[in-house]
Amino acid sequence: MGRIAGRFPRVEPRRRVRQLILGLLSDLPRKNCWTIAEWAGDTTPGGLQHLLGRAKWDPDAVRDDVRGYVVDHLRDRQAVLVVDETGDEKKGTATVGVQRQYTGTAGTIENAQVAVYLVYAGRRGHADVDRELYVPRSWTSDPDRCRAAGLPEETAFATKPELAARMVARFLDAGHQAAWVAGDEVYGATDRAGGTRHRLVLAVACSHEVTTGAGNFRADVLAEKLPRWAWQKLSAGTGAKGYRFYDWAVIELVEPRPGSRLLLIRRNRRTSELAYYRCYSPTSVPTTELVRVAGSRWRVEEFFQTCKGLAGLDEHQVRRYLSWSRWVTLAVMAHAFLAVVRAEEHTRHPSPDGLIQLTCNEIQRLFHRARCPARPGRCSPARLIQLATLSPGPIPGQPLPATNHPRMKITIYGWSIKRGPVCSRVRDHLDGEYFCLGCVSSSPAAASPG
């Protein structure tokens, strides 16, 4: 928080940002302004909504601070910048950038909002350092619609590779360094994702045409012509089940431009499925280095899974561009904190042989437990059920006897206390806490059923 505190001219938004980030790092099953406000003890989500939509602060400046934080703590001279997009399914047409389009999250064409992310992947860990919202042509051709969603006046249509090139350029212009840029087939079909400023390993389709000393060929045709001795077994890195071994082959390409250009082919040792990568480097590099970079692309998939699952990246309920960029920036910051703590923990306290290293999931759980320890005397949900069913007592679905306790609502495994005062037996054990199906909330507002 010390890095970004200066980006907020008033103390109120600084407090709200801290509250929102702690809420994103909590164990809430759903994370949005409503649930985080209730978790923090607010009666309404107005404060958080003001922070995202109307407060005066620059999310791009905070993004730059987060980028510096990630590079400073995960610095690696052989780091890879991995670019990829992810989509969030939406309903309606008012959310900025939404339209029917393909998203890998659903695996089909859905009404979705798509954004491109740039992940810094090094030996110590990985985290996001930039993001760009993909605004389809159906939006940029409708100025009124863009204005209603809060998009800047100068917004013009840009392809996903062009958005990736912007982020890579911003990273380099900020004075940071990375050895390679990697991406999937969306970015391998064009040079715009990285140009020649960086060494590239970008996936391409099997129909991608390349030029060799023998002429122009499709990538899959070249793979069929390779002799058996051209393949070698190499590891693309470690996975959940150990080293990931594939068969690899390299074909030298011929182009008038300077630099080393290669076609890297990967073959699955079990299914014989093939994958193709277009590689560029100013000088020749060993095949093992190309394989390492190609195997780093899974880091962005892990980032999406972790950031969505732990920091609520895709759970925003906002429509305007400014609110989207602020929510995503703070969610990425929360994930960066977990990634940095994990890296520091691995460095200072290596796990004993036979045990896996701490993951971001465990770091988040430990952080939440350390910040929100169970208070002595707090009534457990099981004890609350026992109290609610003591005889004599109310029948299911009926109010408990009245007292002067503040009004609230509790639903516990079918027992419902309608809006009204609570009996003293339950009140005495609540100690100011409101329980709902095993979840604890310190909100004075009514607890949500279920």
Side-chain angles (χ1 to χ4, degrees):
M1 288 299 298
R3 279 187 178 252
I4 67 171
R7 304 297 184 182
F8 304 92
R10 296 178 59 87
V11 66
E12 293 87 352
R14 284 199 295 271
R15 290 173 178 168
R16 290 294 183 186
V17 165
R18 180 178 181 276
Q19 175 184 338
L20 179 56
I21 292 179
L22 290 176
L24 292 173
L25 290 172
S26 71
D27 59 351
L28 288 170
R30 291 285 297 173
K31 297 172 183 177
N32 52 57
C33 288
W34 286 88
T35 59
I36 293 176
E38 181 180 2
W39 173 84
D42 293 342
T43 56
T44 69
L48 295 179
Q49 291 172 346
H50 175 80
L51 173 72
L52 296 177
R54 298 181 298 277
K56 300 296 183 182
W57 61 282
D58 185 2
D60 290 342
V62 175
R63 172 206 62 198
D64 296 342
D65 292 337
V66 174
R67 180 175 59 211
Y69 172 74
V70 169
V71 175
D72 288 348
H73 288 84
L74 305 181
R75 188 181 303 276
D76 184 359
R77 303 179 74 178
Q78 296 301 315
V80 181
L81 294 177
V82 189
V83 61
D84 201 3
E85 76 279 354
T86 186
D88 306 328
E89 294 186 47
K90 298 292 181 182
K91 298 185 181 297
T93 60
T95 303
V96 59
V98 71
Q99 75 165 14
R100 286 190 58 80
Q101 54 191 320
Y102 177 82
T103 170
T105 305
T108 184
I109 296 177
E110 295 288 348
N111 198 57
Q113 179 189 62
V114 175
V116 183
Y117 293 83
L118 186 70
V119 170
Y120 182 89
R123 287 173 295 180
R124 302 188 64 216
H126 54 273
D128 182 77
V129 293
D130 209 340
R131 76 287 179 272
E132 284 281 356
L133 179 66
Y134 174 68
V135 183
R137 202 183 298 274
S138 61
W139 276 77
T140 57
S141 61
D142 189 344
D144 293 336
R145 192 181 187 190
C146 291
R147 193 177 304 110
L151 285 166
E153 293 278 342
E154 63 276 10
T155 300
F157 175 73
T159 63
K160 295 169 186 174
E162 289 172 339
L163 296 177
R166 288 182 193 173
M167 295 188 292
V168 172
R170 275 200 296 262
F171 183 88
L172 298 177
D173 293 341
H176 304 304
Q177 298 295 325
W180 294 88
V181 173
D184 63 11
E185 297 177 7
V186 173
Y187 310 94
T190 176
D191 287 333
R192 294 179 179 179
T196 57
R197 294 183 62 185
H198 238 288
R199 297 189 290 179
L200 306 172
V201 176
L202 302 174
V204 294
C206 62
S207 58
H208 183 76
E209 289 197 359
V210 295
T211 303
T212 68
N216 295 338
F217 297 93
R218 282 171 50 119
D220 53 354
V221 173
L222 280 177
E224 294 175 359
K225 296 178 180 293
L226 289 173
R228 181 177 299 178
W229 54 262
W231 298 91
Q232 54 182 318
K233 176 183 174 182
L234 295 170
S235 171
T238 56
K241 299 181 180 180
Y243 289 101
R244 297 174 291 142
F245 285 105
Y246 297 91
D247 291 330
W248 300 84
V250 176
I251 300 174
E252 187 174 355
L253 305 181
V254 177
E255 287 196 24
R257 294 175 293 176
S260 172
R261 287 176 168 80
L262 305 169
L263 178 67
L264 179 67
I265 306 175
R266 186 194 71 191
R267 183 176 65 190
N268 189 296
R269 296 178 61 83
R270 183 172 57 86
T271 65
S272 297
E273 182 182 3
L274 299 177
Y276 308 89
Y277 301 87
R278 178 172 62 86
C279 308
Y280 163 78
S281 177
T283 59
S284 60
V285 295
T287 304
T288 53
E289 178 69 1
L290 298 177
V291 170
R292 179 188 74 85
V293 178
S296 298
R297 210 198 69 78
W298 67 271
R299 301 283 199 94
V300 72
E301 303 295 345
E302 184 176 298
F303 160 74
F304 289 145
Q305 179 181 5
T306 306
C307 197
K308 289 181 178 182
L310 301 182
L313 178 67
D314 61 338
E315 295 180 10
H316 56 83
Q317 296 180 350
V318 297
R319 290 186 173 183
R320 295 174 61 82
Y321 174 75
L322 181 62
S323 301
W324 174 88
S325 62
R326 289 178 171 181
W327 176 277
V328 168
T329 300
L330 296 179
V332 163
M333 180 178 176
H335 174 269
F337 167 77
L338 296 176
V340 168
V341 172
R342 174 182 177 272
E344 296 293 339
E345 179 65 21
H346 290 185
T347 302
R348 298 176 182 177
H349 307 287
S351 294
D353 294 339
L355 297 179
I356 64 171
Q357 300 279 5
L358 282 176
T359 64
C360 287
N361 300 61
E362 291 156 341
I363 295 292
Q364 185 221 31
R365 184 164 59 251
L366 291 171
F367 175 78
H368 178 72
R369 290 289 180 88
R371 187 183 175 277
C372 305
R375 294 208 311 265
R378 171 179 283 178
C379 180
S380 67
R383 175 60 175 160
L384 188 59
I385 297 171
Q386 181 184 7
L387 291 169
T389 57
L390 287 174
S391 180
I395 62 173
Q398 295 298 319
L400 288 175
T403 68
N404 295 325
H405 196 67
R407 293 174 177 268
M408 61 185 227
K409 177 182 179 182
I410 304 176
T411 303
I412 308 172
Y413 299 101
W415 285 80
S416 179
I417 304 171
K418 302 296 183 181
R419 271 192 187 274
V422 183
C423 76
S424 58
R425 287 177 298 143
V426 175
R427 181 198 63 199
D428 292 341
H429 289 268
L430 281 173
D431 190 26
E433 300 295 323
Y434 299 81
F435 296 83
C436 176
L437 287 182
C439 298
V440 181
S441 171
S442 55
S443 170
S448 303

